Amino acid sequence: MKYIRADRACFDPRLDMSRIFVEGWHQWLKQLTKDKEKLVQAFAHCFVLENYYVAVADGEVASFVAVTDRKSPFMTLDKKVLRRELGLLRGTIAMGLSISI
């Protein structure tokens, strides 16, 4: 296993990170949709990679952790992406849920 800062990975780790995120938060996220792949696509954009370290095993992210100075965000949500992936109503609701995540 190799540990690297997410923005220095030789591949885009966002989808792998999003899969882990959705798996961990699915209990709450399933209110938006039970389709895990839709949730993965909806939230993959939100990770600010320079604030994450990833554990890479066999070319995939096995785990990740956010490290921040509390001044720079570790997640940024794009309402257009959320609405495109989840629909107008659910995408708007996702913006509200994300405040508490």
Side-chain angles (χ1 to χ4, degrees):
M1 196 166 305
K2 189 164 103 175
Y3 305 94
I4 55 174
R5 207 167 89 177
D7 63 338
R8 295 185 181 151
C10 58
F11 63 97
D12 188 346
R14 286 182 181 98
L15 280 176
D16 289 341
M17 292 170 68
S18 190
R19 282 189 180 87
I20 294 166
F21 174 78
V22 166
E23 195 61 43
W25 290 88
H26 192 254
Q27 176 179 340
W28 296 279
L29 296 174
K30 70 182 177 186
Q31 296 171 28
L32 299 171
T33 178
K34 290 185 170 97
D35 185 340
K36 286 185 180 181
E37 193 54 35
K38 268 190 180 235
L39 291 168
V40 167
Q41 295 299 321
F43 287 99
H45 76 280
C46 73
F47 301 100
V48 179
L49 294 183
E50 54 269 4
N51 292 325
Y52 286 90
Y53 283 83
V54 293
V56 179
D58 299 324
E60 293 183 355
V61 175
S63 181
F64 67 91
V65 64
V67 180
T68 182
D69 58 7
R70 295 175 49 182
K71 294 176 186 169
S72 56
F74 60 92
M75 293 178 89
T76 58
L77 294 168
D78 184 333
K79 65 183 171 188
K80 289 180 184 178
V81 174
L82 290 172
R83 288 175 177 165
R84 181 185 70 225
E85 297 296 334
L86 299 172
L88 179 62
L89 179 61
R90 290 180 176 155
T92 302
I93 292 169
M95 286 295 295
L97 287 177
S98 66
I99 294 168
S100 62
I101 291 178

